[in-house]
Amino acid sequence: MIVGRTFRAARFTPFNKLEKLMQKPISKPPIRWHIPVFLAPAFLIYTAVMVIPLLGTIQLSLFSDIDGEQVFVGLANFKTLLGDQHWSQQFWNALLNNTWFFVIHMLVQNPIGILLAALLSSNKLRMKAFYRTSIFIPTILSFVIVGFAWKLILSPIWGVAPSMLDVIGLKSLFTPWLGKEEYALTTLALISVWQFVGIPMMLIYAAMLSIPDEILEAAECDGVTGISQFWKIKLPLILPSIGIISILTFVGNFNAFDLIYSVQGALAGPNFGTDVLGTFMFRTFFGFQLQLGDPNMGSAIASIMFIIILIGVSIYLFGIQTRLRRYQF
Amino acid sequence: MKHKSFKAILVASTVFGSAGLSYAQDATLTIESWRNDDLSIWQDKIIPAFEAKHPNIKLKFTPSAPAEYNAVLNSKLEAGSAGDLITCRPFDASLSLFEANHLAPLTDLEGMNNFSDVAKSAWITDDGSTPFCVPMASVIHGFIYNVEAFEDAGVEVPETEAEFFAALDAIKEKGNYIPLAMGTNDQWEAATMGYNNVGPNYWKGEEGRNALIKGEQKLTDEPWIAPFRQLAKWKDYLGDGFEAQTYPDSQNLFTLGRAAVYPAGSWEISGFNTNAQFKMGAFNPPVPNEGDTCYISDHTDIGIGMNANTKHPEAAKAFLNWVGSEEFASLYANSLPGFFPLSKTAVKMEDPLAQEFISWREKCEPTIRSTYQILSRGTPNLENETWNASVSVIKGAETPEEAGKRLQDGLASWYDPQK
């Protein structure tokens, strides 16, 4: 501001005066203290609980314990993780499982979430608050409760699933899903979908509510109603929210750990069929049963998880979000 | 004058009195443990018995969940917030704590003289010179059976493998009981109560175990494949949906009287005694052929050591000495039937099931679980791999030979004597 004012003043002063002005040092703008002061709390807390631990993890992953001493080994841990037959086999298995976990969420959770939101925002539906609340409740339950409840429901011995299937004559369809390598991961992913479907539902619902009635009325005037109104008017308007949900799902799924740990334990059975990067990292970092913890290798896995998520988020931010068309009402 | 001295006495008594008090308060020892099942026994029996003898030492028993114990303990030790007394897992987990200077050496602890070398072997340096935990108890593997189920099917307690499977067939045929109560969901039972339960009979206990450590035998040799062959046959006798059956599920199936035989560790005894309403018996793992020597897994399972950074080393040593005493052995064995004391002096046990288990020590050769000493030091971890392999074999996803080869390849990849 100050600089601008001097220039403006200079424009209208005669030449000799201008020269004098140029010789005078231009007064420095005062430091705007309020900016750092107001940023400080968030910055300090974020640095203390996120940035420093993250840098610490990355640092730890570059060291190795050799005869009780921490020795800098560069990228050797990552080389072992990706190059050694036993490590890499577990790593790729976990990454693949993570990807499948994510795919199920994208294919099942988010479409169902959108569908529920569309139903909820329909004017004809009664008892909206009841549906909204009951669908959202599992989201606030603890993983341990959800995991344990579903483990009991699906238990071949005490569970209600086999007897319920029996009632409708489909007992033959029942298998101990959580114990079979080919079904366990999908079952867990669906449990997680059941738990979290409320989140996309709520976000999309909010986005749909923010669509002004005039637009919908104008669409109706143009003869766009019902399903085609959803596809042609509402969906384009909620695309940015769907993008945000996708990225939240991606980050959440590649950080997944709790549900799998509470249902299948740290060994993520059967035969590592449900092992994701989170459980693999936990086992490696803290050790399990006779396996001793190796914080350095564990940090290497954690760093790779960070990099994978960073790449995914970057692709979204720079590749997709910038191209999304936004409408202003 | 008189008045003054009286005052002095008052002052002195206050100062010394409070000093004495603070000393007594100071010696509060915290015990780290994974035995959260035993909380009430420690609080009601063991701690009062000790505190009665050492009134100035207070004990606090603070267990955590078994599966998380090692991880929790390691973090606490790193952070310096761990308790004064540390319950020791056998072998490498504790050895690494000792090597990291978290556990204090106990070479000159008097109470250590009450234990044999075998008992001490799980908590001693590789050269056998420095012990670091006082052995507390071992657990014995075998099978617990429902006596009514055996009578129902008209079978006798099996002594050989053939008789064992004949009995299971008879129970299956009769159809009133699930022959074997075991699931593969939690994985460890298949290895601990399966492979390491029946295995010693084939690899001849210590003989085979030591040969494996020295590299004279391989996991692909017949004695190490044979237990897998037996496990592969178990599949037909397990309950419906055993793939998703958890460890508590199996315990409940048995104690509710729905299963006939439970592949067990002796630690189950106290829980089963409270929950089961029927008469139970136990038999040791059946031998392959009649007349063979039987071997049992008598596994050194629990020890207790001293945090090297404890503020009360003298009080902690007093407790450890007491753990080595006959009083503790008798108290522990009878409060927790199924955890057998390792001290040299014989302890009288009241519980009939516990008596049955411990009687095998006389007729059979004892050994410890094959994967625990030295062989689980590297990656891949042999113990964890054995869990996985035992489950795969039971499910039929892997043949016994394939499982043996996989374990051998994994072991040979880091363990020099096996290369």
Side-chain angles (χ1 to χ4, degrees):
Chain A
M1 287 303 272
I2 307 278
V3 179
R5 217 183 295 146
T6 24
F7 270 110
R8 217 180 302 144
R11 229 185 285 158
F12 299 104
T13 42
F15 199 63
N16 58 341
K17 268 194 178 176
L18 180 73
E19 248 182 344
K20 255 186 206 164
L21 261 176
M22 298 276 278
Q23 281 157 7
K24 238 196 207 170
I26 297 167
S27 61
K28 259 195 193 167
I31 301 168
R32 281 171 288 176
W33 282 110
H34 62 279
I35 296 179
V37 165
F38 283 115
L39 278 179
F43 177 76
L44 288 179
I45 292 173
Y46 190 77
T47 309
V49 301
M50 298 293 293
V51 179
I52 293 176
L54 185 67
L55 293 179
T57 306
I58 293 172
Q59 184 204 16
L60 205 54
S61 71
L62 301 176
F63 284 74
S64 193
D65 192 305
I66 295 169
D67 298 326
E69 302 260 328
Q70 287 281 317
V71 181
F72 182 78
V73 291
L75 295 175
N77 289 334
F78 293 92
K79 228 165 146 186
T80 315
L81 187 61
L82 300 173
D84 181 87
Q85 190 204 336
H86 296 283
W87 283 101
S88 69
Q89 189 203 341
Q90 292 219 22
F91 172 75
W92 291 114
N93 172 49
L95 186 61
L96 209 70
N97 286 342
N98 250 144
T99 313
W100 180 242
F101 202 66
F102 173 61
V103 168
I104 295 268
H105 277 79
M106 284 303 281
L107 290 183
V108 182
Q109 175 187 285
N110 296 347
I112 291 184
I114 296 169
L115 180 75
L116 289 172
L119 290 176
L120 277 182
S121 65
S122 131
N123 291 328
K124 289 168 200 150
L125 189 75
R126 282 160 188 279
M127 293 177 25
K128 270 184 209 173
F130 170 74
Y131 291 124
R132 210 172 47 207
T133 315
S134 49
I135 293 171
F136 197 73
I137 277 180
T139 312
I140 56 173
L141 289 180
S142 131
F143 279 104
V144 181
I145 296 172
V146 171
F148 194 70
W150 275 98
K151 218 168 146 178
L152 268 183
I153 293 172
L154 297 177
S155 161
I157 303 161
W158 338 99
V160 291
S163 44
M164 274 169 73
L165 282 175
D166 201 18
V167 169
I168 52 170
L170 292 175
K171 180 82 194 282
S172 57
L173 283 185
F174 182 83
T175 43
W177 287 296
L178 285 173
K180 296 250 175 146
E181 217 179 318
E182 57 270 42
Y183 304 123
L185 184 64
T186 313
T187 312
L188 277 174
L190 291 175
I191 294 173
S192 165
V193 166
W194 171 83
Q195 186 182 5
F196 284 117
V197 75
I199 293 205
M201 180 194 78
M202 280 306 209
L203 286 171
I204 304 269
Y205 180 55
M208 282 186 171
L209 285 187
S210 71
I211 301 173
D213 284 340
E214 299 89 66
I215 293 187
L216 298 179
E217 279 160 17
E220 271 165 35
C221 288
D222 289 340
V224 185
T225 51
I227 292 285
S228 73
Q229 190 185 59
F230 174 78
W231 288 111
K232 289 187 177 147
I233 311 288
K234 287 183 178 168
L235 194 63
L237 290 176
I238 57 169
L239 265 184
S241 298
I242 294 179
I244 289 289
I245 287 161
S246 309
I247 204 65
L248 283 180
T249 313
F250 176 77
V251 174
N253 286 170
F254 275 82
N255 272 328
F257 166 74
D258 334 43
L259 181 70
I260 290 152
Y261 182 73
S262 65
V263 176
Q264 304 285 32
L267 222 47
N271 193 18
F272 298 107
T274 56
D275 197 22
V276 291
L277 289 170
T279 45
F280 180 39
M281 193 275 281
F282 176 86
R283 262 200 326 274
T284 313
F285 195 103
F286 294 105
F288 182 70
Q289 196 68 13
L290 295 195
Q291 180 184 341
L292 296 176
D294 182 345
N296 302 109
M297 282 307 283
S299 301
I301 300 170
S303 302
I304 291 204
M305 285 168 76
F306 171 69
I307 292 168
I308 290 171
I309 293 172
L310 189 69
I311 292 174
V313 174
S314 305
I315 290 176
Y316 171 76
L317 277 182
F318 301 115
I320 298 174
Q321 204 188 31
T322 47
R323 284 182 207 171
L324 277 179
R325 216 184 296 173
R326 274 155 212 287
Y327 300 88
Q328 299 233 318
F329 310 124
Chain B
M1 203 59 190
K2 219 178 178 184
H3 204 66
K4 223 177 183 180
S5 62
F6 180 64
K7 251 188 185 168
I9 289 170
L10 265 186
V11 169
S13 67
T14 319
V15 171
F16 286 98
S18 61
L21 199 69
S22 69
Y23 172 72
Q25 272 175 342
D26 269 351
T28 296
L29 302 176
T30 309
I31 304 170
E32 300 281 351
S33 172
W34 68 89
R35 293 290 312 165
N36 45 11
D37 290 357
D38 305 347
L39 185 63
S40 61
I41 286 154
W42 276 88
Q43 278 172 347
D44 300 344
K45 294 189 178 160
I46 298 173
I47 293 177
F50 176 75
E51 286 178 351
K53 288 210 162 157
H54 301 264
N56 56 347
I57 304 176
K58 294 270 173 284
L59 291 175
K60 247 196 324 197
F61 185 68
T62 56
S64 48
E68 276 113 53
Y69 178 70
N70 297 14
V72 170
L73 179 67
N74 281 334
S75 337
K76 275 188 178 173
L77 285 168
E78 294 290 337
S81 61
D84 308 277
L85 294 159
I86 312 256
T87 309
C88 304
R89 296 271 192 195
F91 300 108
D92 289 354
S94 294
L95 182 61
S96 77
L97 293 183
F98 173 70
E99 281 169 351
N101 295 323
H102 289 313
L103 284 174
L106 300 177
T107 321
D108 41 3
L109 193 82
E110 257 171 73
M112 282 310 254
N113 300 330
N114 298 337
F115 298 97
S116 68
D117 285 346
V118 178
K120 285 191 271 191
S121 69
W123 301 281
I124 205 158
T125 46
D126 281 355
D127 59 4
S129 64
T130 318
F132 43 83
C133 294
V134 182
M136 272 167 85
S138 75
V139 292
I140 298 176
H141 286 297
F143 295 86
I144 299 180
Y145 68 95
N146 181 334
V147 175
E148 289 167 18
F150 270 40
E151 280 165 4
D152 173 67
V155 290
E156 297 287 314
V157 171
E159 283 183 4
T160 64
E161 206 185 308
E163 285 172 19
F164 178 61
F165 283 105
L168 292 179
D169 278 329
I171 295 163
K172 195 180 177 187
E173 198 134 308
K174 193 88 191 203
N176 293 336
Y177 293 88
I178 296 166
L180 269 177
M182 195 176 85
T184 57
N185 189 77
D186 296 352
Q187 306 194 43
W188 65 271
E189 307 104 293
T192 310
M193 271 107 105
Y195 191 73
N196 267 311
N197 184 0
V198 300
N201 275 328
Y202 299 96
W203 62 68
K204 306 210 178 305
E206 287 294 281
E207 190 187 320
R209 194 179 72 83
N210 287 326
L212 192 65
I213 291 173
K214 284 183 200 138
E216 289 158 6
Q217 285 185 16
K218 288 186 183 317
L219 288 164
T220 44
D221 292 347
E222 183 53 29
W224 299 91
I225 300 287
F228 279 135
R229 289 216 176 91
Q230 191 186 138
L231 286 191
K233 286 197 253 171
W234 283 18
K235 183 184 181 186
D236 300 334
Y237 305 102
L238 303 175
D240 272 348
F242 69 88
E243 293 96 335
Q245 185 177 325
T246 63
Y247 172 56
D249 285 344
S250 311
Q251 289 176 314
N252 287 328
L253 272 185
F254 183 74
T255 52
L256 288 173
R258 282 170 57 179
V261 180
Y262 182 90
S266 57
W267 64 86
E268 308 279 10
I269 292 175
S270 49
F272 281 10
N273 278 340
T274 4
N275 292 325
Q277 305 295 322
F278 48 85
K279 196 168 177 291
M280 288 178 290
F283 56 90
N284 56 299
V287 292
N289 301 302
E290 205 175 337
D292 284 356
T293 321
C294 60
Y295 294 86
I296 52 164
S297 165
D298 184 358
H299 188 71
T300 43
D301 195 46
I302 301 189
I304 188 161
M306 181 169 88
N307 186 341
N309 297 319
T310 175
K311 290 197 185 77
H312 315 289
E314 290 314 310
K317 276 186 182 159
F319 180 74
L320 292 180
N321 267 325
W322 184 70
V323 170
S325 73
E326 206 184 324
E327 186 193 351
F328 176 84
S330 160
L331 193 64
Y332 195 75
N334 282 306
S335 321
L336 289 166
F339 288 89
F340 302 111
L342 287 158
S343 61
K344 286 177 191 161
T345 43
V347 170
K348 203 176 143 28
M349 252 164 278
E350 313 283 332
D351 187 88
L353 261 186
Q355 279 173 357
E356 175 66 39
F357 269 93
I358 205 157
S359 71
W360 304 336
R361 275 189 182 165
E362 277 147 41
K363 66 172 181 176
C364 303
E365 298 290 323
T367 179
I368 58 173
R369 289 178 205 152
S370 60
T371 49
Y372 271 58
Q373 196 180 21
I374 301 172
L375 297 178
S376 287
R377 266 180 203 172
T379 310
N381 185 287
L382 183 64
E383 166 73 1
N384 292 3
E385 292 275 296
T386 305
W387 293 15
N388 185 283
S390 307
V391 168
S392 300
V393 167
I394 290 179
K395 282 185 175 170
E398 222 173 6
T399 65
E401 290 76 16
E402 281 164 4
K405 183 166 184 317
R406 181 157 66 93
L407 294 184
Q408 177 64 29
D409 288 349
L411 182 62
S413 73
W414 60 269
Y415 186 57
D416 287 332
Q418 286 288 352
K419 272 183 183 164

